[in-house]
Every structure is written in structure tokens, then in C-alpha cells.
Amino acid sequence: MNKYDYIIRLENEKDYREVENLAREAFWNLSVPGCTEHYFIHMMRDHEDFIPELDYVLEMDGKIVGCVMYCKGKLVDEQGNTKEILTMGPLCVLPEYQRKGFGKALLEHTFALAEKMGYDTVINFGNPDNYVARGYKSCKKYNVCFEGDIFPAALLVKVLKEDALDGRKWFYHQCDADKCCEDEEAVERFDAEFPPKEKAWQPSQEEFYIHSHSAITW
Ligand SMILES: CC(C)(COP(=O)(O)OP(=O)(O)OC[C@H]1O[C@@H](n2cnc3c(N)ncnc32)[C@H](O)[C@@H]1OP(=O)(O)O)[C@@H](O)C(=O)NCCC(=O)NCCS
């Protein structure tokens, strides 16, 4: 994609508020009225599992229009063997720049780097529509689940190396960086630092409910 002149570079401290605002714009009213992702990003940069080497922004004409971040996660098999993997997210692009290939560019750039860093598996929750074209597959296809043998429909797995997962059952333990978002007052306090924005219902919230409450059972 060369029709746009952009650079993909590491996020730096001066970008923090611009990136948080970008996340707020991208996620606002998408999954719930309002959103928590800007607070999540704000807090996750200090989390022990956050990976600064994979914290990238996409910049066009001096403006940051997209970002992607990763944390360390792990898979544990039934014998207790552990495998370090990546949990991807948030990934977001400013609404007026969406569906032009920028999300794809951010993922492909960071997947290549992650592979060089020695990672072979990326996992995230998400709407499959956004990820299957990037080679993500259902967690069920790789036998990756939650304790209790739950295979969430929105749990998506991308292998960076073909033989990364060998068919044995793996239990996914995600990084707990998003726990901070359960503190609704803290989210509200943080959100008040940004320009006012109206919380509202929109159909994507029902889509999110369906995806996030579904599991693959056969
Ligand atoms: C999801 C998001 C990051 C994708 O980034 P993007 O720059 O808009 O997406 P891209 O243009 O790179 O397209 C990525 C894929 O989306 C799908 N897509 C693209 N245009 C589409 C359209 N008009 N309709 C449906 N799907 C489309 C395709 O699968 C595409 O891959 P392909 O072009 O290789 O086939 C971005 O839309 C976004 O920030 N959305 C709001 C926040 C969000 O949902 N983040 C993800 C959390 S799960």
C-alpha cells in the first residue's frame, strides 16, 4: 500500500496523550457506551508484562492515526509446561482513517518484529471480521482454551511459525493489564481529562455482546 505516505515507528513519551485520545476516538461507543481503552493504554505501559519494543504507532503528516500494543501472555499444557506468547491489543485506527489498510500495516510490521524476537504465537480477543484476513484462526483449531475447556468464539490465534502449536491442549493465561478497567471511578476520572463526548448505544454493542458471550462447542 503506497498510496499513503506514512511511517510506522515506536511510540515515545511525547505521543502518550495523542495515542490515548486516538484510542478513545476509535473505541468510543463501540463495545459499550463510552469506552475504557484509553485508560487501559494509559495504565498498561507500566505493567510488568507490557512489551515496549512492540509498542508502535502509524504516523501520517505528523499525525498519529493508528497504534498497536502487546503484552506477554502464556499457554500452559495439561502437564504444566509453559509457553510464552503474545497478547495483542489494543489495536486501533482513527475512525476517518479506518479500512484503508493501516491496521493491516501495523499488524504485519509488528508480527515480523515479534517473530524476530522469538515469539511464534499471538492471541487476542476480537471481532473475527477484523482478523481472519491476517491469518488468525479460531482458538478451537489450535486447541487453545480457557480452564474448563471453554473455547470463546472471539479468542483468536495467529501463529507466526507454522509448527508453533502441535495440537496438544493449551490453556490460555492472558496478561491481567486490563484489570484496571474494572475500577469504573478511575476510568471516569481519567476520561474527564479529555474533551466531553456523549455516551450512547449503537448496534455494534450488541455485536460485541454476541461475540464476547459465545463459545465454540463443536
Ligand atoms: C479494527 C481496526 C484496527 C482495523 O484497522 P483498519 O485500518 O480499519 O483495517 P484495514 O483497512 O487494515 O483492514 C483490515 C481487515 O479488515 C477487513 N475490512 C477492510 N475493509 C472492510 C470493510 N469495508 N468492511 C468489512 N471488513 C473490512 C478486511 O478483512 C481487512 O483485511 P484485508 O484488506 O487484508 O482483506 C480499525 O478499524 C479500528 O480501529 N476499529 C475500531 C477499534 C477496534 O475495533 N479495534 C480492534 C479491537 S478487536
Side-chain angles (χ1 to χ4, degrees), residues 3 9 30-31 83 85 93 107 120 127 134 148 190 214:
K3 67 178 169 156
R9 62 165 177 80
L30 190 69
S31 313
K83 177 181 174 68
I85 52 116
V93 172
L107 282 184
D120 62 20
N127 182 338
R134 302 281 75 72
F190 183 67
S214 304

Coordinates of all heavy atoms in Angstrom, one line a residue, residues 3 9 30-31 83 85 93 107 120 127 134 148 190 214:
K3 N -0.1 4.2 -1.6 CA -0.8 5.5 -2.0 C -0.8 6.5 -0.8 O -1.1 7.6 -1.0 CB -2.1 5.3 -2.6 CG -3.2 4.7 -1.7 CD -4.5 4.6 -2.5 CE -5.4 3.7 -1.7 NZ -6.8 4.0 -2.0
R9 N 6.4 3.7 13.5 CA 7.6 3.9 14.5 C 7.2 3.5 15.9 O 6.0 3.5 16.2 CB 8.1 5.3 14.3 CG 7.1 6.4 14.7 CD 7.7 7.7 15.0 NE 6.7 8.7 15.3 CZ 6.2 8.9 16.5 NH1 6.5 8.1 17.5 NH2 5.3 9.9 16.7
L30 N -18.2 1.8 20.9 CA -18.1 0.6 20.0 C -18.6 -0.7 20.7 O -19.4 -1.4 20.2 CB -16.7 0.4 19.6 CG -16.4 -0.6 18.5 CD1 -17.0 -0.1 17.1 CD2 -14.9 -0.8 18.3
S31 N -18.1 -0.9 21.9 CA -18.5 -2.2 22.6 C -19.5 -1.9 23.7 O -20.3 -2.8 24.1 CB -17.2 -2.8 23.2 OG -16.2 -2.8 22.3
K83 N 4.4 -22.0 27.8 CA 5.0 -21.4 26.6 C 4.6 -19.9 26.6 O 3.5 -19.5 26.8 CB 4.2 -22.1 25.4 CG 4.6 -21.6 24.0 CD 3.8 -22.3 23.0 CE 4.0 -21.8 21.6 NZ 5.3 -22.0 21.1
I85 N 3.8 -16.5 25.1 CA 3.2 -16.0 23.8 C 2.9 -14.5 23.9 O 3.2 -13.9 25.0 CB 1.9 -16.8 23.5 CG1 0.9 -16.7 24.7 CG2 2.2 -18.2 23.1 CD1 -0.3 -16.0 24.4
V93 N -7.3 2.4 14.9 CA -7.1 3.4 13.9 C -8.1 4.5 14.0 O -9.3 4.2 14.3 CB -7.1 2.7 12.5 CG1 -7.1 3.7 11.4 CG2 -6.0 1.7 12.4
L107 N -0.2 -4.4 12.0 CA -0.1 -5.8 12.4 C 1.1 -6.5 11.7 O 1.9 -7.2 12.3 CB -1.4 -6.6 12.2 CG -2.5 -6.4 13.1 CD1 -3.7 -7.2 12.8 CD2 -2.1 -6.7 14.6
D120 N 6.3 -17.0 18.6 CA 5.7 -17.7 17.5 C 4.2 -17.7 17.5 O 3.5 -18.3 16.6 CB 6.3 -19.1 17.3 CG 6.0 -20.0 18.6 OD1 5.0 -19.7 19.3 OD2 6.7 -21.0 18.7
N127 N -13.3 -9.2 17.2 CA -14.3 -9.5 16.1 C -13.5 -10.2 15.0 O -12.6 -9.6 14.4 CB -14.9 -8.2 15.7 CG -15.9 -8.4 14.6 OD1 -16.0 -9.4 13.9 ND2 -16.8 -7.4 14.5
R134 N -5.8 -11.6 8.3 CA -4.4 -11.6 8.8 C -3.9 -13.0 9.1 O -2.8 -13.1 9.7 CB -4.2 -10.6 10.0 CG -4.7 -9.2 9.8 CD -3.6 -8.4 9.1 NE -3.6 -8.7 7.7 CZ -4.6 -8.3 6.8 NH1 -5.6 -7.6 7.2 NH2 -4.5 -8.6 5.5
G148 N -11.6 -25.2 32.1 CA -12.9 -25.6 31.9 C -13.3 -25.9 30.5 O -14.4 -26.1 30.1
F190 N -10.3 9.6 34.7 CA -9.3 9.7 33.6 C -10.0 10.3 32.3 O -9.5 11.2 31.7 CB -8.7 8.4 33.2 CG -7.6 8.4 32.2 CD1 -6.4 9.1 32.4 CD2 -7.8 7.8 30.9 CE1 -5.4 9.2 31.4 CE2 -6.8 7.9 30.0 CZ -5.6 8.6 30.2
S214 N -20.0 -15.8 23.3 CA -20.2 -17.1 22.5 C -19.0 -18.0 22.6 O -17.8 -17.5 22.8 CB -20.4 -16.7 21.0 OG -21.4 -15.8 20.8

